[in-house]
Amino acid sequence: MRYSILTKASPNQASRPAGFLTFTLHAHLPYVVNHGTWPHGMEWLHEAAAETYLPLLRMLKNLERDHIRFNCNLNLSPILLEQLAHPVFIEEFPNYLGRKIVAAREDEAYFIQAGETHLAETARFWHRFFSQALEDFEGFNRDIIGAFRHFNDTSLIDIITCGATHGYMPLLGTDESVRAQVRTAVETHIRHFGRHPRGIWAPECGYRPAGFWQYPVACADGQTPAGFDRIGVEQALSESGIEFFFVDTHLVEESVRTPSPYELLNGSVPADAELEKMTHRPYRSLYQPYYVDGTYDKRYATTIFPRDPRTGIQVWSGDGGYPGDGVYLDFHKKRWPGGHRYWRVTGSKVDMGDKQPYYPQQAAERVKSHAAHFVHLVYEALQSGFNDGIPPILCSPFDAELFGHWWFEGPLWLEAIARNLHDYPTGLEMISCAEYLDRYPRAGFISMHEGSWGAEGTNHVWMNPETSWTWTHIYPAELFTRDVSTAGHWRASAQGKRIAQQLCRELLLLESSDWQFLITTGAARDYAEIRFLTHNDQFNEVKAIWQTFESTGSITPEQEKRLAEIEVRDGIFPDVDPGLWVAGAKQPRIEAQPATLPQAAATA
């Protein structure tokens, strides 16, 4: 297939797709409400809403109008949902947009006076862009979550979940903390969307198998807790009814195929010898889902989808990938005050002072060729399996904020891909992971080692000499929270439950993997360190309040005032349940036979 020439499909060409593309967009920001504004804090949330979330909704509206399913997996992380629904964001976001609109008008006047006709036109472009954002936000009744929920309810997309505060599960210090990240996420998803999520974005694509584990660092008091046999990520997900998650390429490439349990030879995995043999062909290894092996109830085994590396490079890379094309909007060079951008990338090594003016129409045209090129790459990756009994699927996961915020033209590119696959006879179709699993069996079982999609494919980004000190505080906080929850004294009174709930909230915020990531990358190190220490201090304050309550049955007026202040600042997950941290606590499973595939799908 040549991607430079595409011919419209005729109505009678529809048939079973030869292969599938599944996009996964991971939308997440650490909790910033009530924790600073600029340059770090609420500005991040405002930028993401204006430049990524609203443009994605605009794209979905366009596709819905034209009866085209985008059919991606969209993760809206629980802590992001809490922020988008927060009264502070709902009130402040229109003010932010208003400031951007005013700045564009001021830029326009300046450029006109300076005789910079084209830059004045670009200022009008920004005026229209942010005016449209404000109009959209008000049109959605200031409810971005509700707007996404509409597209989820109409099956245009499938919204999945994430760890409650993006805790990095391979390094969390208790099984209860891992389970609580997942269970709090599921409960938050149900509260916002009215349904149970089928999939999850394991934060940082972090995976850990079951087995004996020792704490990698001592606690801040110098004591090292005893090692223990920990559960695998797959078990925590399975217990909470999560069907699938995503892992990085190398975890599948370095995995070991294991025999399928007899009870799953019912269509959930290929029972036919030829189909089973097909799943072992090398060209399919990254283009089919697998059950995860482990020491858990494999009647309810969880599934993984591997990340495709080649298409990922084309989108992630700022040098050789699409975002680095010279005609696209440059992310870094801005005009102050106002912060609007008027220059294009120009070239990967071009000095800031030599950046050339941005032409939006040129960039929009380049999007079309890059979308066609991406479809061509997907076709090339999957074509060896086009005649297989089970169609291959290419999984392409990205941070959602890449589209629009980092790569301004990204939402246009996503829409162009959806239109290409809808309009032209490529043999490819977009599909959500949940829908693929409803149609086709998994390839079988694999056993994976620990890893992530971070640098080096290990835990290094989150545990290194620059970040290890954070874990010396996280581990004792996790153990204390488990002890308090397990003892159960919080259940006896409303005040006790209230204190225990805030203890859990501060622990969840302390566990956010964003702090270590920002420290390691240096992107906002000072802010990340301050935020971590803030939550550690607040955890210890609430801990002291709990200890007073436990010993006296009440708290002082000063403690009551301070607890209320912390609740206002960090009042996330209003119904958080300390019972999730009780030793050995797990989600009770509603016994039902796992769904099996129609025989036609299992043997097609």
Side-chain angles (χ1 to χ4, degrees):
M1 181 185 76
R2 292 184 59 82
Y3 61 85
S4 57
I5 301 175
L6 292 174
T7 305
K8 290 275 187 176
S10 61
N12 61 1
Q13 286 179 301
S15 61
R16 191 199 81 169
F20 292 96
L21 166 65
T22 186
F23 275 120
T24 301
L25 305 182
H26 167 50
H28 165 71
L29 285 175
Y31 188 66
V32 295
V33 177
N34 299 322
H35 288 277
T37 302
W38 188 91
H40 309 307
M42 284 295 291
E43 194 83 355
W44 290 353
L45 184 59
H46 291 153
E47 288 176 347
E51 298 169 19
T52 293
Y53 310 145
L54 288 175
L56 287 178
L57 286 168
R58 206 170 299 135
M59 174 199 76
L60 292 171
K61 283 179 64 178
N62 292 341
L63 294 175
E64 180 183 48
R65 177 198 63 211
D66 297 335
H67 308 290
I68 300 172
R69 293 179 70 198
F70 189 58
N71 217 7
C72 75
N73 316 287
L74 174 64
N75 164 48
L76 298 172
S77 75
I79 195 63
L80 175 62
L81 292 173
E82 295 295 271
Q83 295 179 87
L84 293 176
H86 201 289
V88 169
F89 168 73
I90 293 171
E91 180 179 352
E92 287 297 322
F93 184 51
N95 298 332
Y96 165 83
L97 295 174
R99 292 193 297 272
K100 301 298 282 188
I101 292 167
V102 169
R105 281 297 189 207
E106 292 174 348
D107 285 354
E108 180 188 4
Y110 173 84
F111 290 133
I112 289 174
Q113 187 175 19
E116 298 281 2
T117 306
H118 174 68
L119 294 180
E121 178 57 38
T122 306
R124 289 189 284 273
F125 169 83
W126 287 122
H127 183 275
R128 292 190 299 272
F129 178 84
F130 285 101
S131 296
Q132 181 67 57
L134 181 58
E135 181 181 333
D136 289 343
F137 188 60
E138 298 294 353
F140 294 135
N141 295 316
R142 300 192 173 191
D143 185 3
I144 290 177
I145 298 171
F148 279 116
R149 183 170 59 240
H150 162 76
F151 294 113
N152 191 54
D153 291 344
T154 56
S155 299
L156 198 72
I157 58 174
D158 180 41
I159 299 179
I160 62 175
T161 191
C162 183
T165 56
H166 214 260
Y168 184 63
M169 290 190 278
L171 289 176
L172 295 184
T174 67
D175 287 345
E176 292 76 18
S177 285
V178 173
R179 285 171 165 139
Q181 281 277 344
V182 176
R183 292 178 65 182
T184 303
V186 170
E187 291 169 1
T188 304
H189 190 95
I190 292 172
R191 174 161 52 87
H192 286 290
F193 295 111
R195 63 173 70 176
H196 193 291
R198 294 183 63 180
I200 192 170
W201 179 269
E204 318 294 1
C205 290
Y207 172 75
R208 75 180 204 190
F212 186 76
W213 184 75
Q214 291 183 315
Y215 287 83
V217 295
C219 295
D221 63 2
Q223 300 296 311
T224 302
F228 65 98
D229 286 310
R230 66 181 184 178
I231 62 171
V233 167
E234 67 279 356
Q235 181 172 339
L237 302 183
S238 174
E239 289 172 355
S240 291
I242 298 293
E243 297 177 46
F244 63 87
F245 63 111
F246 307 90
V247 296
D248 199 33
T249 312
H250 69 102
L251 290 184
V252 172
E253 291 177 332
E254 298 158 9
S255 68
V256 176
R257 294 288 289 263
T258 56
S260 300
Y262 175 78
E263 59 266 26
L264 288 178
L265 298 178
N266 58 3
S268 296
V269 295
D272 177 81
E274 285 302 312
L275 279 181
E276 202 276 335
K277 181 179 178 181
M278 173 206 70
T279 68
H280 288 265
R281 293 171 186 162
Y283 64 79
R284 286 192 65 96
S285 64
L286 297 177
Y287 305 116
Q288 56 191 2
Y290 302 87
Y291 280 124
V292 182
D293 197 14
T295 55
Y296 68 120
D297 188 346
K298 285 191 278 289
R299 292 178 303 157
Y300 305 98
T302 50
T303 299
I304 59 97
F305 285 85
R307 181 181 73 89
D308 175 61
R310 186 180 174 193
T311 54
I313 289 291
Q314 281 293 147
V315 182
W316 275 118
S317 176
D319 293 325
Y322 306 136
D325 190 286
V327 304
Y328 289 142
L329 184 67
D330 187 77
F331 174 78
H332 300 284
K333 187 173 182 178
K334 300 179 181 180
R335 183 178 188 277
W336 299 103
H340 289 308
R341 293 173 283 168
Y342 291 92
W343 299 272
R344 54 191 175 91
V345 172
T346 309
S348 62
K349 305 300 182 184
V350 173
D351 184 80
M352 283 290 180
D354 296 325
K355 298 286 186 179
Q356 297 300 303
Y358 175 63
Y359 289 81
Q361 286 303 318
Q362 287 185 7
E365 286 301 312
R366 189 61 52 87
V367 158
K368 297 176 183 178
S369 62
H370 283 160
H373 179 255
F374 185 85
V375 170
H376 175 68
L377 291 180
V378 175
Y379 186 97
E380 282 191 328
L382 298 182
Q383 64 180 334
S384 295
F386 280 173
N387 295 319
D388 290 347
I390 302 171
I393 179 171
L394 185 146
C395 180
S396 205
F398 303 101
D399 287 343
E401 293 77 18
L402 171 65
F403 301 96
H405 177 58
W406 295 101
W407 177 21
F408 180 71
E409 297 81 7
L412 296 177
W413 178 81
L414 290 172
E415 182 175 344
I417 288 173
R419 292 186 182 280
N420 279 354
L421 293 178
H422 178 269
D423 293 344
Y424 300 105
T426 61
L428 303 173
E429 183 178 293
M430 298 183 77
I431 196 170
S432 68
C433 289
E435 187 170 332
Y436 185 90
L437 296 180
D438 286 342
R439 294 192 199 178
Y440 305 105
R442 286 73 164 172
F445 277 76
I446 59 172
S447 176
M448 301 180 294
H449 61 70
E450 188 167 312
S452 73
W453 78 339
E456 303 178 16
T458 64
N459 300 332
H460 177 74
V461 170
W462 301 277
M463 174 66 79
N464 58 64
E466 301 297 319
T467 62
S468 59
W469 65 271
T470 64
W471 298 98
T472 70
H473 298 288
I474 293 172
Y475 291 146
E478 291 177 327
L479 294 169
F480 182 81
T481 303
R482 183 175 67 184
D483 289 345
V484 168
S485 299
T486 303
H489 298 158
W490 57 274
R491 299 181 188 273
S493 69
Q495 188 173 54
K497 181 178 180 180
R498 176 187 168 200
I499 300 168
Q501 283 182 311
Q502 196 58 40
L503 194 75
C504 295
R505 292 186 187 107
E506 294 303 324
L507 174 62
L508 287 168
L509 289 168
L510 201 62
E511 290 174 334
S512 170
S513 71
D514 302 277
W515 315 137
Q516 291 91 8
F517 177 84
L518 292 170
I519 291 169
T520 298
T521 61
R525 178 169 184 156
D526 291 348
Y527 179 76
E529 290 176 341
I530 290 170
R531 287 297 308 280
F532 181 87
L533 291 171
T534 296
H535 293 299
N536 188 56
D537 289 345
Q538 290 182 175
F539 179 90
N540 287 326
E541 287 185 86
V542 179
K543 175 181 175 181
I545 293 171
W546 170 259
Q547 289 170 331
T548 298
F549 173 80
E550 190 176 36
S551 61
T552 68
S554 62
I555 60 177
T556 68
E558 292 77 13
Q559 289 176 323
E560 167 65 37
K561 179 183 177 183
R562 183 57 183 147
L563 178 61
E565 289 172 347
I566 295 173
E567 287 173 323
V568 169
R569 192 180 199 188
D570 294 338
I572 56 172
F573 310 129
D575 302 319
V576 65
D577 180 9
L580 303 184
W581 282 264
V582 170
K586 62 179 71 174
Q587 177 70 39
R589 180 175 291 283
I590 300 174
E591 287 299 329
Q593 287 300 312
T596 59
L597 291 164
Q599 190 63 23
T603 60

